[in-house]
Amino acid sequence: MVYSTGDGGLQARTEGDADRLDAVFAALSHRSRRDLVVYLAARTDSPRMSQVAADRGVSPQLLNKHTAALEKAGLVRRVGDGRERRLVLDTVALIEAQQWIVRAREYWTARLDALDSYISTLEDDPDA
Amino acid sequence: MVYSTGDGGLQARTEGDADRLDAVFAALSHRSRRDLVVYLAARTDSPRMSQVAADRGVSPQLLNKHTAALEKAGLVRRVGDGRERRLVLDTVALIEAQQWIVRAREYWTARLDALDSYISTLEDDPDA
DNA sequence: CGTCGAGTAAACCATATGGTTTATTATTCG
DNA sequence: CGAATAATAAACCATATGGTTTACTCGACG
């Protein structure tokens, strides 16, 4: 049997949006990257890469990889052109992810509401 | 050089929570699984596996795998003991994920507020 | 100029993941 | 019982990912 591999078509926005969300959720699916996000969110400055690596007890190479993942997701940016570069948070993608979740929950809430009203119907008219 | 592989310790709750969040975000990092979630959220009934597979144009085997991922994340449950099983949404994990994002954004907002007050300080006292 | 150090790239390995094809386990129903 | 069928498991392949070790680039600075 042959199936429509991949797509499925339902609830799609644009390809780009989907890819972006893929990247955001994938980036957040790893604990040390989540920790990195809140580490950045909690500070008032933008630390240098080596600073981050030292703070988090992670090798510069690995930090570089995780940073790349977060960058791809648009959660983080590297700034600075010199020898030293700084890591800054960019929460736009985070907001997108939250909005996706909120939308999904809204559908679900609507479903619960429908159930509620159905139950009300039953209570009003037990024969229904 | 030897680095403290993995942990990092920051902002950790329990191991279980972290694993759960890993699974939730990983599950949502795939578009067809996200679509599956909203597909389920949008209906008022709990469709059978074969129904879902047909609706989404996906092989039963692949649906099974995706379902396993969502199940692992606690986003979905299979109910029914007979030959036919139904898929139901379980949004508790979704709420957890949302809460993580909200918390991260709260940190970030606090940071913006700090920046604001710093700027105010500058405006009040340009020599600061 | 030389070298030191921050940051990154590359090679490489082990394991995980997405997906297909093939096979197995029930459970319903003639 | 026996065939059909819903659901799942298993074997397998290609590619992606996390992580380490090694090597490169490039700006600062004596």
Side-chain angles (χ1 to χ4, degrees):
Chain A
M1 190 71 177
V2 170
Y3 300 92
S4 73
T5 287
D7 185 3
L10 270 169
Q11 286 88 14
R13 308 204 144 212
T14 73
E15 274 302 329
D17 280 356
D19 288 352
R20 156 63 71 93
L21 270 185
D22 281 7
V24 173
F25 282 119
L28 295 179
S29 75
H30 204 285
R31 178 175 166 192
S32 69
R33 286 190 297 252
R34 284 197 304 275
D35 286 353
L36 185 50
V37 166
V38 329
Y39 161 88
L40 287 178
R43 348 189 12 137
T44 57
D45 62 334
S46 299
R48 291 181 301 122
M49 298 300 283
S50 54
Q51 179 72 51
V52 178
D55 286 354
R56 320 254 17 262
V58 160
S59 75
Q61 298 94 327
L62 186 52
L63 174 62
N64 190 40
K65 283 201 161 189
H66 283 313
T67 301
L70 291 166
E71 235 173 358
K72 181 179 171 192
L75 285 168
V76 113
R77 280 188 333 250
R78 291 153 144 132
V79 305
D81 39 340
R83 178 178 53 168
E84 306 176 347
R85 312 189 68 188
R86 291 173 182 279
L87 205 51
V88 305
L89 202 59
D90 186 357
T91 57
V92 177
L94 205 54
I95 292 173
E96 284 174 15
Q98 186 181 1
Q99 284 174 345
W100 184 90
I101 292 181
V102 167
R103 271 190 299 123
R105 288 189 55 203
E106 275 170 1
Y107 275 104
W108 184 65
T109 304
R111 179 184 132 163
L112 285 189
D113 288 349
L115 182 60
D116 272 352
S117 60
Y118 175 65
I119 290 174
S120 302
T121 305
L122 289 185
E123 285 169 347
D124 287 351
D125 178 5
D127 298 328
Chain B
M1 190 72 177
V2 170
Y3 300 93
S4 72
T5 288
D7 186 2
L10 270 170
Q11 286 88 10
R13 308 204 145 213
T14 71
E15 273 302 328
D17 280 356
D19 288 351
R20 155 66 67 97
L21 270 185
D22 281 7
V24 173
F25 283 118
L28 296 179
S29 76
H30 204 285
R31 178 175 166 192
S32 67
R33 285 190 296 252
R34 284 196 305 275
D35 286 353
L36 185 50
V37 166
V38 329
Y39 161 89
L40 286 178
R43 357 191 0 141
T44 58
D45 62 334
S46 299
R48 291 181 301 122
M49 298 300 283
S50 53
Q51 178 72 50
V52 178
D55 286 353
R56 320 254 17 261
V58 160
S59 74
Q61 299 94 324
L62 186 51
L63 175 62
N64 189 41
K65 283 199 163 192
H66 284 313
T67 301
L70 291 167
E71 235 174 357
K72 182 179 169 191
L75 285 168
V76 113
R77 280 188 331 250
R78 291 152 144 133
V79 305
D81 41 341
R83 175 179 56 169
E84 306 174 348
R85 311 188 67 187
R86 292 173 179 279
L87 205 51
V88 305
L89 201 61
D90 186 356
T91 57
V92 177
L94 205 55
I95 292 173
E96 285 174 15
Q98 185 181 2
Q99 284 175 345
W100 184 90
I101 292 181
V102 166
R103 270 190 298 123
R105 288 189 55 204
E106 276 171 0
Y107 276 103
W108 185 65
T109 304
R111 179 185 132 163
L112 286 189
D113 289 349
L115 183 60
D116 271 352
S117 60
Y118 175 65
I119 290 174
S120 303
T121 305
L122 288 186
E123 286 168 348
D124 288 351
D125 178 6
D127 299 328

